[in-house]
Amino acid sequence: MEKQLISARQFTVITLLYSIGTAILIVPASITKELKQDAWMGAAIGVLLSFLLIKLFISLGNQTPNLTFVEANGKIFGKFIGALTSLCFMSLTFFSAGELLYFIGIFMQTEVMPETPTLSFAVLFTIIIVFASYLGIEVFARSVEILFPIFLLIFIIFITCISPQINIENIMPVYETNAKSLLVGVLTFMSLFSFPLVVLLMFFPSGVNVKISAQKGYYIGTLIGGIVLILIIALSTLVLGPTNTSSKTFPSYALAQRISIGNFFQRVEIIMAVMWIISIYIRTFIYFYATVLGLGQILKIKDPRPLILPLGMCMFAMAQIAHPNIVHSNNYNQKIWPLYSGLLTVLLPLFLLIVAKIRKIKKTEAKQSTTDEQQDSKAQQDSKAQQDSNTQQDSNTQQDSNKPNSSESQ
């Protein structure tokens, strides 16, 4: 399969919507359960701390600019240990993709179509993800550019329509939480918001055409995505109150149900669900495509597309057995996921960066990049010289052909 590249703008939009993902529905409940009316404050602290993680991810990406995260594991740790850590990382992305399919099914059945089995929604979404994976990351990035204005428009309408119901007393008194609860709340928020951003190293910087602009896009996408989540959490607390927010399974959807303007513009929550479906589609695709790409690189398969259908079927099966019920899912996300994801999305990249610094991997990569750039520059110069030579020959030929004509005219 030919190497596919996306633009820095596309990478920024992908980062923005990917960081939101499922967090737009489940984060308000989980963080409010810990921090009560101070949930928005914990989210703001989590967004600021997330910039340190982005700095870590960019630094690791710059150590091996021409390699994906899985290839960097093999380069830095060696063949055996690198394959082992990559498989552990693939387990995270694969299980997360299956869990998101479970979320799609349980949300649609609980809130939208109670009589429809979750299996139906999982099948439909699996078909979409598998088809998008066959088309590749370039086509996916173009679809994200189309979906982003829709997401932005719905979000603006949502904020505008729900704002009249704000009750400022719901966040009073400010900063009554203790340090332990604040720490737990911030880590819970970051585990769902910024920890998964390490998966984007499967495409950054090796799959982006302008690496420096993509670095800025990494920060910008994370910042805007964080602001969206802060607003959702704050509005959930201000409108529903901290107690109702923490007790709801999907607080942001319950928030959309409160929209009512003049007893005419109401019951529009299903339109708001489109906003969440867009973001969860993007996160599910990134998880699944990273699994396909990473497994293909571990197995040394040049074209990993034959793996898409089998892995898609396995992902669908995983969605059916991931959680027996929503209570199990909530316990997993609050108690197990922060530790599981933190080990593979924070400690593993940090350890990779330290080992790469010790082994001076960057120097080797820099020399290789410099050699490639020199070869490309030389090829361009030779091509330009050949074009100039051909142009000069054509000019001389034309002059020679014009000489007899001028003598005849005389």
Side-chain angles (χ1 to χ4, degrees), residues 207-229:
V208 184
N209 57 2
V210 183
K211 296 178 174 57
I212 297 178
S213 299
Q215 291 180 15
K216 298 177 182 178
Y218 220 150
Y219 286 109
I220 294 171
T222 303
L223 175 62
I224 299 176
I227 291 174
V228 169
L229 291 180

Side-chain angles (χ1 to χ4, degrees), residues 27-38:
V27 157
S30 59
I31 193 172
T32 306
K33 189 175 294 183
E34 290 290 339
L35 302 182
K36 307 302 180 186
Q37 67 271 15
D38 292 326

Side-chain angles (χ1 to χ4, degrees), residues 23 45 50 68 99 153 162 168 176 225 293 330 340 347 399 409:
I45 295 173
S50 297
T68 66
E99 189 188 21
L153 177 63
I162 201 65
I168 199 68
E176 277 222 331
L293 192 62
N330 291 336
Y340 176 41
L347 294 183
Q399 290 178 1
S409 63

